[in-house]
Amino acid sequence: MKSLADLHALRDKLKSDLKLRKESGTKIIIGMGTCGIAAGAREVMAAVLDELARRHLTDVQVQQTGCIGMCDKEVLLDVLRPGEARITYGNVKPEDVSKIIANHVVNGNIVEDMVVGKIENK
Amino acid sequence: MGELALNILDLAQNAVAAQATLIRIEVAENEEGFLVFRIADNGRGMEQSFLEKVRDPFVTTRTTRKVGMGIPLVDMAAQQCGGRMDITSRPGKGTEVTASFRRDNIDCPPLGDVAGSIAVLLAGAPATDVLFSYKGSRGDFVFDSRNIREELGEACDFSHPELAAWVRAYLQQEIDRVKEEGRAI
Ligand SMILES: Nc1ncnc2c1ncn2[C@@H]1O[C@H](COP(=O)(O)OP(=O)(O)OP(=O)(O)O)[C@@H](O)[C@H]1O
Ligand code: FES
Ligand SMILES: [Mg+2]
């Protein structure tokens, strides 16, 4: 049974993560335009949040972006590690999420066969 | 889109794009057999002349694609199942979209995962507040993100995986409590 009283217990955890989340800088960005949502962006974002919670990767930030004009490759998910190139993955399904997080977010190894775009870090 | 909850998420994203700080989302099962939802925001709003043509997919202020599909999709879905969509908007004040769907119409999409839509909406736009209400046949339920923000103070971060998971589970539990029994929504 969930109740607002749970927030009391959550507060300390959220507070201690606050600083960590500001400093870490690793970001996962999901395209939430209409065609993104129609292609499953909500499920992909939910899968990302679940996987980060499961692995206690609470220092990774999840963000959304609107349409970037690659509608046929939705769902689009970008991984941006500090100091590294911004990698865009395309046609992402919820079941791809754990692979992307384990390989790229955690270990820095790009999942090459799913990459649809790359922006070099200047 | 297959699920009205996805249309709701998409319309709420229009409000986020319009710089809304508060989005009111109401879902109601009414006595006449309709499912009605309303999304009202305090964002930048639209001029009357623009509003008159916004059901047309070729009307959009987006720059990355020449068509805007969000509103036309809701308009079409509502009309297909014996309902309708209305929009009112005032520049600088905000926008309100109301749509109704006849639930016993075979073309009426299921409501789907509203709890997931709201949790993901807050996770993706954690500075925006959401006032969500669900009027079901067994009771009403209201969720106000501002209460959570107040309770958690500066620690409040709706994009934190654990808070997002709590929001989703809490909303699901409360929707299940008040929605019409035995109906898969
Ligand atoms: N809540 C709102 N507040 C202010 N303007 C809005 C709002 N909703 C829609 N609009 C305006 O109406 C236009 C059309 O909206 P619609 O959702 O149909 O398409 P879009 O958002 O442009 O593109 P898409 O939804 O396909 O990603 C938007 O570009 C925006 O200018
Ligand atoms: S809305 Fe997804 S790239 Fe256009
Ligand atoms: Mg839209």
Side-chain angles (χ1 to χ4, degrees):
Chain A
M1 184 74 187
K2 302 275 171 202
S3 81
L4 294 172
D6 305 338
L7 294 174
H8 220 73
L10 250 178
R11 180 163 49 194
D12 293 337
K13 170 82 178 110
L14 295 178
K15 226 180 202 142
S16 67
D17 285 344
L18 207 61
K19 206 162 148 264
L20 203 62
R21 285 168 70 75
K22 279 209 183 98
E23 284 165 1
S24 139
T26 294
K27 288 185 185 137
I28 299 178
I29 303 153
I30 296 156
M32 278 285 166
T34 297
C35 69
I37 291 172
R42 182 189 66 189
E43 283 67 26
V44 169
M45 188 183 286
V48 167
L49 291 165
D50 284 349
E51 186 69 9
L52 294 178
R54 202 176 63 77
R55 289 172 160 268
H56 304 290
L57 295 172
T58 46
D59 56 328
V60 177
Q61 294 176 47
V62 181
Q63 295 177 354
Q64 70 177 27
T65 180
C67 175
I68 59 161
M70 283 206 281
C71 298
D72 55 323
K73 299 201 174 67
E74 296 275 4
V75 175
L76 297 165
L77 181 154
D78 291 14
V79 173
L80 182 54
R81 284 164 51 101
E84 297 179 13
R86 174 173 176 157
I87 303 297
T88 300
Y89 293 106
N91 302 307
V92 178
K93 304 265 172 296
E95 54 270 27
D96 300 320
V97 164
S98 65
K99 182 170 67 186
I100 293 171
I101 290 183
N103 288 298
H104 190 175
V105 174
V106 176
N107 293 316
N109 301 319
I110 297 168
V111 184
E112 297 290 351
D113 59 328
M114 292 189 66
V115 173
V116 296
K118 190 178 218 167
I119 302 172
E120 288 305 333
N121 182 272
K122 330 138 265 301
Chain B
M1 292 234 181
E3 250 185 58
L4 296 177
L6 290 175
N7 296 108
I8 291 174
L9 174 59
D10 184 47
L11 291 174
Q13 295 296 354
N14 283 347
V16 172
Q19 251 93 52
T21 57
L22 177 65
I23 308 174
R24 283 189 293 129
I25 300 175
E26 298 168 25
V27 178
E29 306 166 4
N30 79 9
E31 291 85 28
E32 288 89 51
F34 285 88
L35 191 108
V36 183
F37 67 70
R38 172 176 295 129
I39 311 217
D41 68 63
N42 63 353
R44 89 169 80 81
M46 288 173 264
E47 296 290 343
Q48 194 56 39
S49 55
F50 188 86
L51 191 61
E52 279 161 21
K53 355 173 252 201
V54 78
R55 288 165 204 261
D56 178 347
F58 293 98
V59 170
T60 179
T61 52
R62 65 151 65 248
T63 50
T64 42
R65 178 164 30 85
K66 285 189 182 57
V67 292
M69 301 184 303
I71 290 173
L73 280 173
V74 175
D75 191 26
M76 230 164 40
Q79 286 187 33
Q80 259 167 19
C81 59
R84 56 183 287 176
M85 181 191 76
D86 294 297
I87 312 185
T88 57
S89 187
R90 280 175 59 204
K93 295 278 183 232
T95 300
E96 190 172 305
V97 180
T98 308
S100 57
F101 304 82
R102 197 173 236 318
R103 300 178 80 196
D104 59 11
N105 189 298
I106 48 161
D107 290 321
C108 182
L111 177 57
D113 182 13
V114 203
S117 286
I118 306 274
V120 161
L121 169 64
L122 278 167
T128 310
D129 276 305
V130 174
L131 176 57
F132 170 69
S133 69
Y134 192 101
K135 285 191 202 348
S137 59
R138 289 184 293 161
D140 298 355
F141 152 67
V142 178
F143 166 90
D144 190 340
S145 68
R146 290 170 298 186
N147 294 339
I148 313 252
R149 224 178 271 287
E150 195 172 312
E151 178 70 29
L152 293 173
E154 55 151 15
C156 187
D157 178 357
F158 286 106
S159 65
H160 190 293
E162 288 183 31
L163 184 53
W166 181 85
V167 168
R168 187 181 187 183
Y170 177 68
L171 291 175
Q172 192 59 59
Q173 163 192 300
E174 295 303 299
I175 293 168
D176 286 343
R177 187 170 61 77
V178 299
K179 76 168 191 215
E180 186 180 328
E181 210 157 5
R183 191 192 276 266
I185 57 169

